[in-house]
Amino acid sequence: MKFEYLPNEILLDIFEYFHLRDLFQTFHNLNFRLNQLLYESFRSYSLDLRSISRYDFDIICQQYLPIILHKITSIHLADNDETPNLPQRFLSQSISVDQFTHLKSLSIHSIQSIDLIHQIIKQSQQVTHLKIIKCFCEYKDIQLINQIWSLPKLTFCHLDNLISKGVYFSELLTPSSTIKYLSIKNIICDFRSLSYVLQKTPSLQHLSTTIVCTEKFEKFPPPTNPLLTKLTLSYDGSIPSLMNLFQHMPLLRSLTISTSYLLLDGDEWQAILTDCLPQLKYFHFKMSFQFPQNYDTNDAADELLATYQSEFWIKKHQWHVQCDWNASDPFYGAILYTLPYAFHDYHYVNDSCSKSTLPNKIACQTHIHVKNLQCEHNILNHFIYSSTKFTNLSHLDLILPFNGEFLQNISTFTHLKSLDVTLLSSRDAYQQLQCLLNHTPHLYLLRFSHLSDMNEALFSLSNPSIRRLDFLNKQSMIYNWYFNTDECQALTNSILGRQCQTLIIDVQARNDVLDLVNNLTNLRSLIFQCKDDKGKQKLLSTVDDELIQWFHEHLPSTCTISRDAHISSIIQMWIR
């Protein structure tokens, strides 16, 4: 059957699988019927601008958006390495967020201007779901939180790394009767701030947050409406303060908690849950702690696990726990957690030991919730087989070379999207990396956190799905490797270079940047440091910035060029 003979219902189902950009580039203006389906029959569109070229962005904003404004139900905006300065350009296209009359979900990421954030939120009165992630500003702003709480239809709010100088929930004045689901991630709250949040959010049912208590017996001001039924908590404080918090949450049915340097045994948890949280049905914890020094860790683990083998844990709730510790750790570090493991991050150490309350000692534990795996492995150590399996990883962080038997613990790499490697000086490291790349069919990002040397094997690596290469580690800029002209040329001629769309790199000379822009034909964003940058330590206007002006003179005007708002030595290019 020919494609055009398919009924409208099937065509509309097919459209659901397309990104908006690809959908219109593929079907727009082919014939009257397809145009009618795109304009009138297709129910809704998601406008995802997080990974897009400057060319596609201009086409969407100028040609497609005016036609389907009323059908957009979700928007994702980001000002990051993939799309530098995109939100500013988006709002300069004579487009405002309030023009999307059916918009329900809005996600903004890495916006550096608090004024721009205010502008976007002010125009978002119609949204029910809001995510603000890694949006920083350099000064105290107490109005933003009140502005968010004023959104009349908001039910779901996710705030992650919102403001570099702190988020001031204690100055929250505007109540929201609509917010039911609130996630406050990588933003530290104290009891006072949390009390304000609960008082000003009386309909809140699910909360995810981080709490730090500096006093041993800190009192939690009672909230006015304790309707909370689900709590995900990262906690740093004392046991008495934690008990005081739980006493004001009598309706809690689900608790997921992680703690650092705090350990409760099974009897202590049983007393807290029985006295403070009688309605609790779902309970997950992870406690990082240290065993007493000069004490046999095997015996200490057995004593600890014995407190979790009472009738309350095994028969009444069927809650099992596991203890992992590193036998060679001089600080006797360990973690204790409920099974199955309920957290997204996991730190794997090869010579770790494990014991659990499960009746079958060799029972295989599948950590299906783990998305991010960090591996600490010494190839010189004898490999210790672990029954723990990882089946749903999206990010892997490891040092190469490693003991190849480690891969037995990862059942599949099908979901892996990003790989962060530290390459030690060894030919085997590149061979192992290529072997790993051969098993990652959907890998998008390959990051080199550290290169011991520039081995020619680097430019022979291949993987058909990789579209982003990171050679510059923004988190640790001590070991930067500046590519010279020959190395830039080798990268340009490599398989990974030719298919690269986003490149983050250090270069020695500005002319090498021009060669990368001109020769990497799929490149849409380039983030770099240049060794001959004379203005990298100064806060300069674009007009006074010698290097920025030099690039403007040597590159097309369609190329957006700016400095990173937080690391002035880093230059961002969004290429059309």
Side-chain angles (χ1 to χ4, degrees):
M1 179 182 289
K2 292 184 178 181
F3 180 81
E4 57 265 30
Y5 293 159
L6 292 173
N8 288 349
E9 292 77 14
I10 294 181
L11 289 177
L12 291 172
D13 287 341
I14 293 174
F15 288 177
E16 294 280 359
Y17 290 92
F18 279 79
H19 187 283
L20 186 147
R21 167 197 60 212
D22 300 326
L23 179 64
F24 273 81
Q25 287 181 348
T26 304
F27 299 109
H28 185 237
N29 281 340
L30 286 183
N31 58 47
F32 175 81
R33 179 194 174 205
L34 289 175
N35 277 358
Q36 191 174 35
L37 289 176
L38 290 173
Y39 299 157
E40 300 177 11
S41 301
F42 199 52
R43 294 183 298 275
S44 63
Y45 293 96
S46 174
L47 183 60
D48 190 345
L49 301 176
R50 286 174 294 185
S51 297
I52 190 172
S53 70
R54 170 76 185 278
Y55 175 81
D56 287 337
F57 171 79
D58 290 341
I59 292 295
I60 288 176
C61 291
Q62 296 167 14
Q63 297 185 20
Y64 304 148
L65 271 189
I67 304 172
I68 58 170
L69 269 175
H70 63 292
K71 287 184 173 289
I72 299 291
T73 57
S74 68
I75 297 178
H76 299 270
L77 299 175
D79 181 1
N80 55 21
D81 295 333
E82 304 267 342
T83 53
N85 299 307
L86 180 144
Q88 293 89 329
R89 294 195 62 84
F90 180 75
L91 295 176
S92 67
Q93 303 277 332
S94 299
I95 297 175
S96 62
V97 179
D98 52 13
Q99 290 178 273
F100 300 90
T101 54
H102 287 81
L103 183 66
K104 300 299 181 185
S105 176
L106 174 65
S107 174
I108 58 177
H109 195 293
S110 302
I111 296 180
Q112 313 300 319
S113 166
I114 189 63
D115 293 332
L116 186 60
I117 298 174
H118 277 298
Q119 179 183 350
I120 293 173
I121 300 302
K122 184 178 180 181
Q123 297 173 359
S124 304
Q125 300 300 304
Q126 69 275 40
V127 301
T128 59
H129 290 63
L130 176 66
K131 291 184 179 181
I132 306 179
I133 303 170
K134 292 184 179 179
C135 292
F136 302 101
C137 69
E138 295 300 331
Y139 57 91
K140 177 179 177 180
D141 183 276
I142 64 175
Q143 296 303 318
L144 181 59
I145 297 299
N146 285 291
Q147 190 180 25
I148 295 171
W149 257 247
S150 298
L151 295 175
K153 299 181 180 180
L154 189 64
T155 59
F156 175 93
C157 181
H158 176 80
L159 308 175
D160 183 353
N161 262 344
L162 184 53
I163 298 176
S164 60
K165 297 298 183 182
V167 178
Y168 299 90
F169 290 107
S170 59
E171 300 188 44
L172 179 59
L173 303 175
T174 305
S176 170
S177 60
T178 59
I179 297 178
K180 296 181 179 180
Y181 310 94
L182 175 63
S183 175
I184 306 172
K185 189 176 180 181
N186 295 313
I187 303 171
I188 295 176
C189 292
D190 55 17
F191 273 3
R192 182 167 175 263
S193 297
L194 179 61
S195 178
Y196 271 88
V197 169
L198 294 179
Q199 289 176 13
K200 298 300 181 181
T201 323
S203 301
L204 188 63
Q205 298 176 12
H206 296 179
L207 173 65
S208 177
T209 188
T210 299
I211 295 178
V212 174
C213 294
T214 56
E215 299 179 13
K216 185 176 182 180
F217 298 98
E218 193 161 345
K219 296 295 183 181
F220 179 66
T224 57
N225 195 355
L227 293 179
L228 205 63
T229 59
K230 183 176 182 179
L231 176 65
T232 301
L233 177 64
S234 177
Y235 179 76
D236 185 358
S238 66
I239 296 176
S241 297
L242 184 65
M243 293 177 63
N244 186 269
L245 172 66
F246 289 155
Q247 287 173 355
H248 298 288
M249 298 179 176
L251 300 182
L252 205 64
R253 292 180 56 82
S254 175
L255 173 62
T256 301
I257 181 171
S258 61
T259 67
S260 299
Y261 304 106
L262 179 67
L263 177 64
L264 289 85
D265 64 28
D267 298 331
E268 290 172 312
W269 266 125
Q270 179 178 343
I272 292 175
L273 300 183
T274 302
D275 297 341
C276 303
L277 304 174
Q279 303 295 324
L280 197 69
K281 185 176 181 180
Y282 306 100
F283 181 44
H284 306 281
F285 68 70
K286 178 179 69 172
M287 296 182 289
S288 301
F289 66 98
Q290 292 177 325
F291 281 120
Q293 295 188 11
N294 302 321
Y295 197 87
D296 186 272
T297 51
N298 274 289
D299 293 341
D302 288 337
E303 292 178 10
L304 177 60
L305 291 175
T307 65
Y308 286 91
Q309 293 177 311
S310 65
E311 182 177 348
F312 174 86
W313 291 95
I314 304 300
K315 293 185 178 180
K316 182 178 180 180
H317 293 288
Q318 296 182 352
W319 289 336
H320 291 278
V321 302
Q322 179 166 314
C323 183
D324 298 343
W325 68 94
N326 182 359
S328 60
D329 183 3
F331 301 103
Y332 299 89
I335 60 170
L336 182 73
Y337 53 87
T338 50
L339 296 172
Y341 189 83
F343 302 85
H344 291 322
D345 302 313
Y346 191 89
H347 186 189
Y348 178 91
V349 180
N350 174 45
D351 52 351
S352 63
C353 303
S354 298
K355 287 188 175 183
S356 76
T357 60
L358 286 171
N360 186 354
K361 294 183 179 180
I362 62 171
C364 177
Q365 292 301 312
T366 302
H367 288 359
I368 61 174
H369 298 290
V370 174
K371 304 292 185 182
N372 308 312
L373 178 62
Q374 181 181 6
C375 301
E376 184 178 323
H377 180 80
N378 187 342
I379 192 171
L380 298 178
N381 290 349
H382 175 68
F383 180 77
I384 300 177
Y385 176 77
S386 171
S387 61
T388 300
K389 301 295 182 183
F390 304 95
T391 61
N392 203 25
L393 296 180
S394 60
H395 174 79
L396 177 60
D397 188 333
L398 77 166
I399 301 173
L400 288 96
F402 57 84
N403 191 314
E405 295 179 88
F406 153 73
L407 298 182
Q408 298 175 15
N409 296 101
I410 303 177
S411 301
T412 177
F413 292 96
T414 303
H415 305 289
L416 198 68
K417 296 294 190 297
S418 60
L419 176 62
D420 195 325
V421 297
T422 296
L423 283 175
L424 302 182
S425 182
S426 169
R427 181 79 184 183
D428 293 339
Y430 286 96
Q431 292 176 348
Q432 283 190 332
L433 178 55
Q434 183 58 63
C435 180
L436 194 56
L437 295 180
N438 292 340
H439 293 84
T440 54
H442 300 112
L443 189 66
Y444 175 79
L445 185 157
L446 176 59
R447 176 181 292 115
F448 297 89
S449 288
H450 176 68
L451 288 171
S452 295
D453 55 26
M454 190 61 69
N455 194 303
E456 62 180 13
L458 172 68
F459 306 109
S460 299
L461 296 172
S462 64
N463 176 289
S465 64
I466 291 176
R467 294 295 181 270
R468 173 170 169 171
L469 296 173
D470 287 16
F471 295 99
L472 190 163
N473 186 354
K474 292 184 180 181
Q475 305 302 320
S476 177
M477 299 175 65
I478 301 175
Y479 303 106
N480 291 356
W481 187 286
Y482 285 86
F483 279 58
N484 60 32
T485 300
D486 291 339
E487 291 161 349
C488 287
Q489 185 64 42
L491 178 62
T492 299
N493 295 327
S494 68
I495 296 175
L496 293 183
R498 288 195 298 269
Q499 67 192 41
C500 182
Q501 295 179 355
T502 298
L503 176 61
I504 304 178
I505 192 171
D506 291 311
V507 297
Q508 291 190 1
R510 60 185 69 186
N511 282 312
D512 295 330
V513 175
L514 300 184
D515 292 338
L516 291 173
V517 172
N518 292 324
N519 296 324
L520 294 177
T521 56
N522 288 304
L523 196 64
R524 54 179 167 80
S525 64
L526 176 62
I527 313 298
F528 63 94
Q529 290 186 125
C530 191
K531 207 165 189 178
D532 65 354
D533 182 5
K534 299 177 182 178
K536 59 186 177 182
Q537 304 299 334
K538 303 176 183 178
L539 294 176
L540 301 173
S541 67
T542 303
V543 176
D544 297 328
D545 195 319
E546 182 269 336
L547 187 58
I548 296 294
Q549 286 302 311
W550 189 88
F551 283 124
H552 277 304
E553 293 170 3
H554 290 80
L555 291 171
S557 59
T558 53
C559 184
T560 303
I561 308 169
S562 62
R563 287 192 182 271
D564 186 281
H566 295 284
I567 308 176
S568 61
S569 61
I570 294 179
I571 296 177
Q572 307 164 313
M573 288 186 180
W574 195 23
I575 302 161
R576 193 177 193 276

